[in-house]
Amino acid sequence: MLHSMSTTVESSSRRTADEVNEEIRALWRRSGGTLSVEQREEYQRLVLEWAAAAPQSAPVA
């Protein structure tokens, strides 16, 4: 049986896409362009949080 961490973001701690994007940029700056395993896990978590916070565009007809 495979267990995985929850990827949901608590609504009380919800940040804007811009705030999360800034944290992603800071992570890349701190890493010098190469992410460690731990940093990669943080990056993946941040990208999921960013995607949840990003405004949804209407589909093009």
Side-chain angles (χ1 to χ4, degrees):
M1 185 172 193
L2 183 64
H3 297 279
S4 64
M5 292 180 19
S6 173
T7 57
T8 59
V9 177
E10 296 286 332
S11 61
S12 63
S13 65
R14 187 162 293 210
R15 300 183 289 175
T16 67
D18 287 339
E19 291 170 325
V20 179
N21 189 41
E22 185 52 42
E23 188 170 343
I24 291 169
R25 289 175 185 266
L27 174 62
W28 278 107
R29 282 191 299 270
R30 285 192 314 272
S31 75
T34 304
L35 299 176
S36 68
V37 172
E38 293 83 12
Q39 289 169 321
R40 236 176 282 143
E41 290 170 355
E42 181 180 1
Y43 174 74
Q44 290 173 346
R45 180 189 60 77
L46 289 169
V47 168
L48 290 172
E49 183 180 351
W50 175 85
Q56 302 298 312
S57 60
V60 178

